[in-house]
Amino acid sequence: MSDREPEGAAAPEAPPTEGLLGPDAPPIERTVSVPHAPRPAQTEGLLGHAVADAGESVRARNPLAQDTLTPEEWNAAGYTPSHGLDLTELHKGAPGDAPWPDRMRTLLRTPMAERPAFERTARELHPAAGGQAQRNVPRVLDLSLRIGELLLASGEAAEDVEAAMLGIAHAYRLDHCEPQVTFTLISISHQPSLIDPPVTADRVVRRRTSDYTRLAAVYELVADITAEQVTVNDAYRRLAEIRRNRHPYPAWLMAMATGLLAGAATFLVGGQHDGKAWLVFVSAFVTAVVGDRLASFIARRGLPEFYQFVIAAMPAALCGILLSFNELHLRGSVVITGGLFALLPGRAMVAAVQDGLTGFYITAAARLLEVMYLIAGIVIGVMLVLYIGINYHAKLRPDESLGGTPNPPVQLTAAMVLALAFAMLLQTDRRSLAMVVTNAAIGWSTYGVLTRNAGISAIVATGLAAGLVGLFGQLLARYRAASALPYVTAAIGPLMPGSALYLGMLAFAQGHAASGLVSASRAVALALALAIGVNLGGEVARLFLKNPGASDRDTPHVLIPRRAAKRTRGF
């Protein structure tokens, strides 16, 4: 336990110094809710009669200790004392010992009464930093909220967002912080002790962008903050630079990447590389670019994202219908399927399932609802065109989109090109593109071997291949000390259930409701297998890696593992 001043002695006022928390700056304008702190005499209902009597006896012996509680009172309240715990009983988690997401997940899953108050480095700062931290509470909370907003808007899982926010507050000496993340609102609350008023701040996430280059920069900033190498002022400057940075790819290249994704999907689905296949590739490329430009046009007019997906899905469906009227058999169904690959929201789907598996059910439900609306927009756009085409006797062949002609070299190359285009659409850093393509090749090769050679069901094969992609993505993220999203999201692009979704829509348009429900259910099963496999692969990677935590009192060299909810049969 830290040294304390003798009773009755006034603590000398430390001069303001510029340390880790930055200089003493004027408070920023921010809405902060500060409820009234309970008086010490009102703790009877919270701590019980025995604890209240013990507190009264302490205050009777020491009239100056009106705002302090005894260790017994702190323990009875289930709260860590404001002065912290004995450092000899805690693991000091020096920077570099383990990645910050692992250390912060350990604290997140630890109850507040058992959470270490000072998981610091051996290099202690000036004693005045403690008092300065109290004056900079609004700034630290605001910084954590702004960084959490960028992470959540980029599609990061809710648990990782909370871990980042907790790590920032923890690095700047703000213990007893509780971050809370939902789909559109993030908040963080800081309460130094039971006798101090809590401070709560929140921020609304109104816009979501897919910029993994910005995500990597934010991860690097959080790593430097948790390593206690950046002051608050420097963190604000770096955050402003991250926001001002331009996207790594221009707009025209993004449009070309959309067309390349749809065109590569035609080779992936068709499995052929003859002259007709190249004509289908060009058709899918052009229609995807046209759909992307139309969606951008109506987006600038302020229409919601749902209508953007409706408009973007129509050109590919229209081109597929037109190709089906010719006598050359140009595989119009393949063009429609390629357009679906370019539109399916794989990033939001993976994040939604990951939040549900980690216990963030409100955020998971909101993200799943978002995915349902986006897919509904795609279905409506395609179904409108398909229904008109079927009424005019369009000759669409469903077997064209099933990949019935196996051609492993062509399909593997197409899967790698598709992942490359998908990574560019997600604004992935150029240095990470090679790793993303390699991970996609591993996933697609695994899927092909399991389905073609081993004869395993496509749903099971998709889950196993996605698990391998998640495993390698987590390992690559730890190697680069970055988020796993850039290495996973684009790599699962070739495994998206575009063919199953198209077959379901075609069956409904033709009036075959039973077969349409079967295909739609298959698409849902493939999507769930894909998302669960990615999450499971990441968790398997963590099983074999060191998991930091607070040292146990009896066995100081044993680490407390990352905790999870214990629930059996619903209890």
Side-chain angles (χ1 to χ4, degrees), residues 38 40 72 88 97 142 147 266 340 401 525 564:
E72 291 78 8
T88 60
D97 287 353
D142 178 75
I147 292 179
T266 61
L340 291 178
S401 62

Side-chain angles (χ1 to χ4, degrees), residues 384-557:
L384 289 176
V385 180
L386 284 181
Y387 184 75
I388 297 174
I390 294 299
N391 287 339
Y392 282 94
H393 308 289
K395 299 177 182 179
L396 293 172
R397 298 173 55 189
D399 58 316
E400 294 174 346
S401 62
L402 292 176
T405 305
N407 196 332
V410 172
Q411 291 177 320
L412 179 60
T413 304
M416 297 172 67
V417 174
L418 189 152
L420 175 63
F422 199 0
M424 294 174 63
L425 289 174
L426 294 174
Q427 303 286 352
T428 305
D429 184 35
R430 294 184 177 91
R431 297 173 297 177
S432 304
L433 292 179
M435 297 181 182
V436 174
V437 172
T438 303
N439 201 15
I442 294 174
W444 179 257
S445 301
T446 303
Y447 173 80
V449 169
L450 292 177
T451 53
R452 301 290 182 183
N453 300 97
I456 297 178
S457 169
I459 298 176
V460 178
T462 299
L464 294 177
L468 200 60
V469 170
L471 174 62
F472 281 100
Q474 188 65 230
L475 295 178
L476 288 173
R478 290 176 178 274
Y479 173 74
R480 298 290 297 272
S483 171
L485 284 180
Y487 307 104
V488 171
T489 306
I492 64 174
L495 301 174
M496 296 296 291
S499 298
L501 184 61
Y502 164 70
L503 292 178
M505 289 186 292
L506 181 60
F508 279 115
Q510 293 175 341
H512 304 151
S515 59
L517 288 175
V518 172
S519 297
S521 301
R522 179 181 175 84
V524 172
L526 288 172
L528 288 178
L530 190 64
I532 294 175
V534 168
N535 179 264
L536 182 60
E539 293 297 331
V540 169
R542 296 189 183 103
L543 290 177
F544 301 99
L545 298 172
K546 181 181 178 182
N547 193 15
S551 299
D552 188 63
R553 179 177 302 180
D554 299 329
T555 56
H557 299 290

Side-chain angles (χ1 to χ4, degrees), residues 155-204:
E156 194 62 77
E159 185 180 33
D160 292 330
V161 176
E162 286 194 0
M165 295 171 63
L166 183 62
I168 295 168
H170 208 63
Y172 291 131
R173 299 302 194 265
L174 294 188
D175 298 301
H176 308 130
C177 284
E178 284 290 355
Q180 181 67 37
V181 173
T182 59
F183 185 59
T184 58
L185 180 67
I186 57 177
S187 62
I188 186 170
S189 178
H190 169 62
Q191 185 176 8
S193 66
L194 287 177
I195 59 177
D196 294 321
V199 180
T200 302
D202 52 48
R203 193 173 183 87
V204 178

Side-chain angles (χ1 to χ4, degrees), residues 192-484:
S193 66
L194 287 177
I195 59 177
D196 294 321
V199 180
T200 302
D202 52 48
R203 193 173 183 87
V204 178
V205 180
R206 301 189 183 277
R207 186 178 179 183
R208 290 170 177 79
T209 57
S210 299
D211 191 342
Y212 284 170
T213 300
R214 178 180 295 175
L215 176 65
V218 174
Y219 253 72
E220 184 179 356
L221 174 60
V222 176
D224 292 341
I225 291 175
T226 54
E228 302 180 3
Q229 298 175 357
V230 181
T231 65
V232 172
N233 290 339
D234 292 338
Y236 268 106
R237 295 190 188 99
R238 288 180 56 177
L239 187 61
E241 293 176 0
I242 292 173
R243 288 181 175 274
R244 286 195 300 264
N245 283 343
R246 284 188 166 187
H247 299 307
Y249 308 107
W252 67 266
L253 186 57
M254 299 293 291
M256 295 298 103
T258 303
L260 184 62
L261 193 157
T266 61
F267 282 103
L268 182 70
V269 174
Q272 302 181 22
H273 58 90
D274 52 5
K276 296 179 181 179
W278 283 106
L279 184 56
V280 170
F281 170 86
V282 173
S283 301
F285 183 95
V286 173
T287 55
V289 172
V290 171
D292 178 74
R293 293 298 89 195
L294 289 176
S296 299
F297 174 77
I298 65 173
R300 290 193 295 269
R301 299 299 184 270
L303 269 71
E305 196 172 15
F306 172 83
Y307 301 104
Q308 300 173 28
F309 274 77
V310 172
I311 297 299
M314 285 185 173
L318 180 60
C319 182
I321 292 295
L322 294 178
L323 290 180
S324 66
F325 284 111
N326 63 83
E327 300 297 333
L328 300 177
H329 304 290
L330 291 178
R331 297 187 287 271
S333 295
V334 176
V335 176
I336 300 176
T337 306
L340 291 178
F341 271 89
L343 294 175
L344 289 177
R347 174 182 61 89
M349 180 185 64
V350 172
V353 175
Q354 185 173 359
D355 286 340
L357 294 176
T358 52
F360 293 84
Y361 300 113
I362 297 178
T363 308
R367 278 178 163 165
L368 282 176
L369 188 61
E370 180 192 32
V371 171
M372 291 176 58
Y373 271 105
L374 297 182
I375 294 180
I378 298 172
V379 170
I380 291 174
V382 175
M383 285 289 292
L384 289 176
V385 180
L386 284 181
Y387 184 75
I388 297 174
I390 294 299
N391 287 339
Y392 282 94
H393 308 289
K395 299 177 182 179
L396 293 172
R397 298 173 55 189
D399 58 316
E400 294 174 346
S401 62
L402 292 176
T405 305
N407 196 332
V410 172
Q411 291 177 320
L412 179 60
T413 304
M416 297 172 67
V417 174
L418 189 152
L420 175 63
F422 199 0
M424 294 174 63
L425 289 174
L426 294 174
Q427 303 286 352
T428 305
D429 184 35
R430 294 184 177 91
R431 297 173 297 177
S432 304
L433 292 179
M435 297 181 182
V436 174
V437 172
T438 303
N439 201 15
I442 294 174
W444 179 257
S445 301
T446 303
Y447 173 80
V449 169
L450 292 177
T451 53
R452 301 290 182 183
N453 300 97
I456 297 178
S457 169
I459 298 176
V460 178
T462 299
L464 294 177
L468 200 60
V469 170
L471 174 62
F472 281 100
Q474 188 65 230
L475 295 178
L476 288 173
R478 290 176 178 274
Y479 173 74
R480 298 290 297 272
S483 171

